[in-house]
């Protein structure tokens, strides 16, 4: 992390290096290019989403010589996903300007370290236990009660690397299966939540902080399906969630963005589930619905500019576009949309330039702007492109 005394102000015309060339880097480069910044990404994939809109170094993430080339070509370096090699990030700190540092990356790459850091920042997490053996798992499961959630300490996203244990009979198989990852395991008590929420907070090297409005998130098969903003929660809960996100950003010394995922229980308690030290899928709604997008905000933060206004301009529902949604969405884009006119909505499509539309693969998203979230949800239902879960 960058101390206030180390903060630099890098004005437009500077080059931002991105470790990672996926869709988050792409949208970061598009937002920053509009401000006058240049971008270069390091990614192993030819024709990566970010490489389509910025310069790209094609190399593995742990290729130290390629990382040094990135350092030579960039005035500041950031990362677009947390599984970047922390050793490379630490090396770059010696040879370049990495205001996010490697410490937060190191912390958020490991669930046990992350949970301890969240607690140290003054926020609550679900009760948890480190699991080293199947006997540890049996003992902790008995203490927490069933169901409970076994997770790998490293890796895993979109539901990968975890097992919801619903019976004692599953314990040996769950332990054996997740142990194959070769990392520590952590068991979490199952939180019976009423809503999943997230807040994107930003912090500059100078210590300025701002939070975006709370998103209410709906997942399907452990993949984010919808983000509804404003979240359908009490104002006091919204204020507390935003306060917690800022507290965590400050407590962990974050620079740039940090996404804080939360569970809201029936009695109004908030538990932090996970952190992501980067732009986040649940913050894509900001691209049209807020005065400053999460991507512009991240560029502003790592370049030391004053943070932008995070005010919400319009209700919005973000819906993810997976591989199976691409063809029907493109077909709909090619004709007049009667439902948009009738409902008063405006659908803003963002596709990521990925070469192959695989089922369950994130290919893009749509921000549906409306006078109210019910109208936006109605448009999504009426398209027939997405299967909507009950009760949304």
């Amino acid at each position: 992390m960058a101390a206030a005394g180390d903060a630099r102000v890098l004005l437009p015309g500077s080059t931002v290096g991105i470790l990672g060339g996926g869709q988050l880097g792409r949208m970061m480069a598009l937002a920053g290019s509009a401000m006058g910044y240049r971008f270069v990404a390091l990614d192993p994939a030819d024709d990566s989403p970010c490489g389509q809109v910025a310069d790209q170094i094609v190399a593995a993430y742990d290729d130290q010589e390629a990382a040094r080339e990135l350092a030579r070509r960039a005035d500041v370096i950031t990362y677009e996903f947390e599984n970047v090699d922390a050793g490379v990030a630490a090396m770059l700190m010696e040879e370049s300007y990495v205001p996010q540092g490697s410490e937060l990356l190191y912390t958020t790459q490991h669930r046990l370290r992350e949970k301890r850091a969240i607690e140290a920042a003054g926020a609550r997490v679900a009760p948890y236990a480190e699991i080293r053996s199947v006997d540890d798992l049996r003992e902790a499961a008995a203490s927490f009660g069933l169901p409970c959630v076994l997770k790998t300490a490293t890796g895993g996203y979109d539901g990968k690397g975890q097992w919801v244990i619903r019976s004692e009979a599953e314990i040996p198989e769950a332990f054996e299966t997740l142990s194959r990852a070769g990392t520590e395991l952590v068991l979490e008590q199952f939180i019976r939540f009423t809503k999943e929420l997230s807040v994107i907070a930003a912090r500059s090297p100078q210590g300025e902080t701002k939070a975006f409005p709370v998103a209410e998130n709906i997942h399907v098969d452990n993949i984010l399906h919808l983000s509804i903003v404003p979240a359908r929660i009490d104002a006091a809960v919204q204020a507390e969630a935003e306060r917690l996100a800022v507290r965590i950003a400050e407590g962990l010394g974050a620079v740039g963005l940090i996404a804080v995922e939360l569970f809201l229980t029936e009695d109004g308690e908030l538990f932090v589930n996970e952190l992501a030290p980067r732009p986040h899928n649940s913050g894509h709604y900001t691209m049209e619905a807020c005065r400053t997008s999460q991507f512009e905000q991240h560029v502003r933060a790592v370049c030391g500019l004053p943070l932008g206004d995070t005010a919400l301009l319009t209700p919005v529902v973000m819906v993810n576009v997976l591989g199976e949604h691409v063809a029907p969405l493109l077909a709909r884009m090619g004709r007049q949309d009667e439902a948009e006119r009738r409902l008063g909505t405006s659908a803003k499509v963002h596709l990521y330039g990925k070469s192959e539309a695989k089922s369950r693969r994130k290919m893009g998203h749509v921000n549906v702007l409306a006078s109210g979230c019910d109208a936006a949800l109605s448009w999504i239902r009426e398209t027939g492109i997405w299967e909507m879960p009950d009760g949304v």
Side-chain angles (χ1 to χ4, degrees), residues 22-28 80 198-200 212-213 215 217 224-229 257 259 278-290 292-295 312 316-321 348-352 354 362-369:
Q23 64 260 26
L24 300 179
R26 176 191 181 96
M27 290 181 277
M28 192 190 305
E80 62 119 36
S198 62
V199 180
I200 313 295
F212 286 95
N217 299 317
L224 181 63
H225 175 46
L226 302 171
S227 290
I228 301 168
V229 186
L257 299 186
R278 52 166 172 79
H280 193 260
N281 196 170
S282 68
H284 292 350
Y285 78 87
T286 63
M287 294 174 76
E288 283 89 17
C290 291
T292 306
S293 76
Q294 66 165 342
F295 299 103
L312 188 69
V316 58
V317 176
M318 188 284 301
V319 58
N320 264 331
V321 176
K348 302 296 185 179
V349 177
H350 298 268
L351 295 175
Y352 303 151
K354 294 182 179 179
K362 291 177 184 174
M363 301 298 294
H365 70 273
V366 180
N367 286 335
V368 187
L369 313 179

Side-chain angles (χ1 to χ4, degrees), residues 24-45:
L24 300 179
R26 176 191 181 96
M27 290 181 277
M28 192 190 305
L30 289 170
S33 295
M35 300 168 67
Y37 289 95
R38 297 175 181 270
F39 288 82
V40 56
L42 189 158
D43 193 275

Side-chain angles (χ1 to χ4, degrees), residues 20 36 51 54 75 116 119 135 153 157 172 176 202 215 226 228 233 251 274 277 284 316 352:
D75 299 298
R116 291 164 186 152
E119 290 177 315
D135 289 336
Y157 63 95
E176 180 184 355
L226 302 171
I228 301 168
I233 55 177
E274 289 185 347
H284 292 350
V316 58
Y352 303 151

Side-chain angles (χ1 to χ4, degrees), residues 129-334:
E130 183 175 359
I131 302 300
R132 298 178 180 273
S133 68
V134 71
D135 289 336
D136 284 351
L137 181 53
R138 285 195 180 94
E139 183 178 340
S143 173
F144 293 158
L146 299 177
C148 51
V149 187
L150 185 65
K151 297 181 179 180
T152 56
T154 61
Y157 63 95
D158 290 343
K160 298 177 176 67
Q162 60 182 268
W163 187 303
V164 179
I165 299 173
R166 302 185 185 280
S167 70
E168 290 184 18
E170 294 179 56
I171 287 175
E173 185 182 1
F175 180 80
E176 180 184 355
T177 300
L178 294 194
S179 292
R180 292 177 196 146
T183 183
E184 297 99 320
L185 302 178
V186 56
L187 187 72
E188 298 175 7
Q189 186 177 79
F190 189 86
I191 299 296
R192 299 188 182 279
F193 57 86
T194 58
K195 291 187 185 294
E196 293 181 86
L197 309 173
S198 62
V199 180
I200 313 295
R203 182 177 177 273
S204 73
Q206 295 88 345
E208 183 185 11
T209 57
K210 287 192 177 178
F212 286 95
V214 180
E216 175 188 343
N217 299 317
I218 310 291
H219 291 79
V220 174
D221 297 332
N222 294 307
I223 299 174
L224 181 63
H225 175 46
L226 302 171
S227 290
I228 301 168
V229 186
R232 297 170 297 184
I233 55 177
D234 291 341
V237 174
Q238 174 152 338
E240 175 64 8
E242 293 176 10
R243 188 185 66 81
L244 281 175
V246 168
R247 178 191 288 180
I248 289 169
E250 291 174 337
L252 274 62
V255 170
L257 299 186
I258 186 162
V260 181
E261 297 181 55
L262 303 126
F263 292 138
L264 175 65
T265 66
E266 191 169 350
D267 58 4
E269 289 186 291
L270 288 168
F271 291 85
V272 177
N273 181 32
E274 289 185 347
L275 305 178
R278 52 166 172 79
H280 193 260
N281 196 170
S282 68
H284 292 350
Y285 78 87
T286 63
M287 294 174 76
E288 283 89 17
C290 291
R291 287 184 174 168
T292 306
S293 76
Q294 66 165 342
F295 299 103
E296 179 185 335
Q297 194 78 300
H298 185 77
V299 172
R300 284 180 166 276
V302 299
C303 291
L305 300 184
L307 297 180
D309 186 351
T310 58
L312 188 69
L313 297 172
T314 173
V316 58
V317 176
M318 188 284 301
V319 58
N320 264 331
V321 176
L322 305 183
E324 60 268 33
H325 304 138
V326 173
L329 177 64
L330 290 176
R332 190 177 186 90
M333 289 178 70

